[in-house]
Amino acid sequence: MAGGRHVPPWARRVAMIIPLLTIPTALWRLGWVLGFPLGWAEDRFQANTATWSAKLYLIGLCLLAEGAALLSLGLVRPWGEVVPRWVPGIGGRPIPPLAVLLPAGAGSAALIVMWTPAPLMFFQEPQAGAPDGNGWELLMALCYLPLALWGPMLAALTWAYHLRTRTPARLPAA
């Protein structure tokens, strides 16, 4: 139950899976930060990771993606419908469903546009300096392909949240 309304078991499972989808990509990026070229040509690797700002960018990208993925839990938890009591000034107030549905819907649309074509990139000619051979391209694919599921899964969760939080239609008085 979230906010007193039934959360379907499938939605709870999907919300728990979404944060796991970003972990392989984060591990790939953190490999770069730690100095492992992961099959990339040395000049391409150096160009993308030579400075501390580039490394901080990669770390920030990992944290941002995981944080955004964790927000999907709000679509199945009480804190996605009512502000937690510990929040000063507004704790305990209901959250208007549109305040959740609009960013979740926009996020799922953006993720679908961004990551749905991802599987196609593995059927194209590799970028100059990209992993090509020795299994690195397969490892990269395995790390990035789970992101193609994020948008559709978030869209399904958003729809389930909408169905759960919509105001029931009232019949006119006779």
Side-chain angles (χ1 to χ4, degrees):
M1 298 279 247
R5 298 177 182 135
H6 177 70
V7 176
W10 70 264
R12 196 173 310 280
R13 283 191 295 276
V14 166
M16 298 297 286
I17 291 169
I18 287 176
L20 300 176
L21 297 175
T22 61
I23 291 173
T25 308
L27 292 174
W28 178 269
R29 291 176 180 146
L30 291 175
W32 271 28
V33 170
L34 295 173
F36 299 106
L38 302 171
W40 286 80
E42 188 63 31
D43 59 336
R44 178 76 181 232
F45 173 71
Q46 287 298 325
N48 287 307
T49 62
T51 64
W52 274 104
S53 62
K55 291 178 182 183
L56 288 175
Y57 168 76
L58 289 169
I59 292 169
L61 198 55
C62 295
L63 294 173
L64 180 67
E66 193 59 36
L70 286 168
L71 284 175
S72 64
L73 294 172
L75 296 169
V76 298
R77 303 284 181 161
W79 53 267
E81 295 179 37
V82 178
V83 179
R85 293 226 176 261
W86 56 265
V87 176
I90 59 170
R93 291 188 185 173
I95 298 172
L98 273 181
V100 174
L101 290 169
L102 290 177
S108 65
L111 288 166
I112 288 169
V113 167
M114 201 166 33
W115 291 111
T116 299
L120 298 177
M121 76 176 156
F122 297 104
F123 296 103
Q124 299 172 358
E125 197 64 32
Q127 299 176 32
D132 186 24
N134 299 325
W136 287 109
E137 72 283 352
L138 177 60
L139 179 60
M140 184 178 175
L142 292 174
C143 288
Y144 277 83
L145 285 178
L147 295 178
L149 299 173
W150 187 2
M153 291 173 88
L154 182 57
L157 271 184
T158 303
W159 184 250
Y161 179 92
H162 164 69
L163 293 177
R164 195 173 66 255
T165 59
R166 68 181 178 200
T167 307
R170 295 183 185 204
L171 297 174

